[in-house]
Amino acid sequence: MRRRIVFAFFVALALLVPGAVRALSPAPVITLVGDAAMTVDAAFAFEDPGATARDSSGQDLTDRITVEGEVIPYLVGEYVLTYAVADEHGIKAQAQRTVTVVPVALPQVVQPPKKTIYLTFDDGPGPSTEKLLDILKQYDVKATFFVVGNQGRKELIRRAYEEGHSIGVHSYTHRFEEIYVDEAAFFADFLATEAVILEQTGQYTPLFRFPGGSGNTVSCGNRGLMTRLTGIMEDMGYRYFDWNVNSLDANRMDLTSLDIFNVIRNRITANGDGFSIVLQHDTKSNSVFAVEDLIRWGLENGYTFLPLTITSPTVHAALNN
Ligand SMILES: [Zn+2]
């Protein structure tokens, strides 16, 4: 008798107060796919493994799950994702996941031999790249090419790679006003270039050079962008290289090949026993024609020519933005 009264009481309560149903029915269950605490390397993207949900009768509620919170995959830090679901009675459940984005550890720099010269060529492949590759091959000197993805003659990237040169990302469009709008624009340009390199070499490259160098002021429309990008790219495991020997081949249109050779030679000499990262452009024929003299002079004077790698010492310009 007493049980019947209790039962009647609850039926009445359920009919009168919809909230009582909630109190009586078990909540749905959310099950995280993957770990509740995830640690991931800083990267361009993060894929949330998601969660599944069922109500107390076993019905699948996965499609109704909403997720609050966002992981910024390239920014080192701790993020919380909250998954929530409600069943047909409005009974709610939630679960949380912590995602910790950590920097990728870059390998230690290995000091090169004294008087090492890293020849680097930006903006190609260009009309003079084939000639340049022939010269380098003749002297068995390896260099580094920071390539532009939307140039023609992409197959020269493959040739350079197959002949032992290092390939790095420079840009896809090299249009400063597009690349340096914000992080997303920079990443899009970077990834498009990386895709071209992957297609030509079968390898991802950890090497890159910012268009205009990391010390550029062309990015100033977005305050602090270079300060952020330089940190972010290193956190993602890339190594960027500026230069300590500017050939001036892109700054001064009036220079002959001999002038360019002299500029480079004088600046390398000024570095003493230290290493030199030389900036040239294989889109400039007068610069390419200076390379043979440069190699001959270097070899006669005890210099070692090496391609850049992830363990090479780097030069970073002072940041201006
Ligand atoms: Zn450039």
Side-chain angles (χ1 to χ4, degrees):
M1 185 63 182
R2 189 164 171 195
R3 200 179 287 170
R4 207 177 291 169
I5 290 168
V6 170
F7 178 74
F9 170 75
F10 277 114
V11 168
L13 195 66
L15 288 172
L16 292 170
V17 189
V21 175
R22 287 181 211 139
L24 293 173
S25 306
V29 174
I30 296 185
T31 308
L32 295 179
V33 177
D35 295 336
M38 291 177 67
T39 299
V40 296
D41 285 341
F44 288 108
F46 167 74
E47 202 172 324
D48 179 5
T52 61
R54 291 192 178 280
D55 70 9
S56 54
S57 66
Q59 195 194 328
D60 191 346
L61 300 178
T62 302
D63 289 350
R64 296 196 201 174
I65 296 176
T66 58
V67 186
E68 258 186 56
E70 190 195 353
V71 175
I72 302 177
Y74 52 84
L75 271 193
V76 167
E78 196 173 284
Y79 302 88
V80 176
L81 297 176
T82 303
Y83 305 81
V85 76
D87 68 11
E88 58 182 351
H89 305 298
I91 301 173
K92 291 174 185 164
Q94 69 172 40
Q96 283 193 330
R97 185 198 312 276
T98 307
V99 179
T100 307
V101 176
V102 296
V104 175
L106 280 170
Q108 288 281 318
V109 168
V110 177
Q111 283 311 313
K114 283 180 183 175
K115 296 174 79 172
T116 289
I117 298 173
Y118 299 99
L119 296 178
T120 74
F121 299 92
D122 288 11
D123 298 2
S128 302
T129 306
E130 227 168 348
K131 170 73 182 164
L132 172 60
L133 288 170
D134 291 343
I135 294 168
L136 295 170
K137 193 175 194 175
Q138 189 189 335
Y139 291 91
D140 194 26
V141 163
K142 309 303 178 197
T144 303
F145 291 84
F146 291 106
V147 301
V148 167
N150 72 355
Q151 298 277 32
R153 309 289 320 262
K154 290 188 180 67
E155 72 280 3
L156 290 175
I157 298 174
R158 183 189 305 246
R159 179 180 159 192
Y161 176 75
E162 286 175 350
E163 293 182 0
H165 305 294
S166 288
I167 309 295
V169 170
H170 191 39
S171 179
Y172 191 79
T173 66
H174 211 290
R175 286 194 207 108
F176 295 138
E177 69 280 12
E178 290 176 16
I179 299 163
Y180 291 129
V181 170
D182 56 19
E183 281 87 339
F186 178 81
F187 295 159
D189 181 83
F190 188 94
L191 288 170
T193 320
E194 195 174 56
V196 169
I197 294 172
L198 180 64
E199 173 193 289
Q200 292 301 322
T201 69
Q203 302 283 333
Y204 285 102
T205 176
L207 316 176
F208 80 105
R209 174 172 286 155
F210 285 102
S214 67
N216 76 73
T217 51
V218 293
S219 58
C220 287
N222 186 329
R223 280 292 287 274
L225 183 64
M226 294 315 298
T227 304
R228 297 195 301 278
L229 284 178
T230 47
I232 287 168
M233 294 305 288
E234 287 190 313
D235 282 346
M236 287 200 284
Y238 293 95
R239 179 114 57 203
Y240 70 92
F241 294 86
D242 290 309
W243 53 85
N244 58 6
V245 173
N246 185 346
S247 68
L248 302 181
D249 65 352
N251 306 67
R252 296 257 313 266
M253 296 306 138
D254 58 319
L255 296 183
T256 65
S257 295
L258 184 60
D259 294 332
I260 292 171
F261 164 66
N262 282 326
V263 168
I264 297 172
R265 185 193 56 188
N266 292 341
R267 293 184 176 191
I268 289 175
T269 305
N271 286 337
D273 284 347
F275 67 90
S276 295
I277 299 181
V278 183
L279 169 68
Q280 289 184 264
H281 297 79
D282 49 328
T283 46
K284 311 267 181 194
S285 59
N286 55 341
S287 196
V288 167
F289 285 120
V291 170
E292 188 159 6
D293 283 347
L294 180 59
I295 291 174
R296 283 208 192 126
W297 168 80
L299 294 175
E300 282 166 14
N301 287 278
Y303 288 90
T304 303
F305 291 90
L306 289 175
L308 291 169
T309 71
I310 191 72
T311 60
S312 300
T314 187
V315 171
H316 288 169
L319 294 171
N320 289 302
N321 180 28

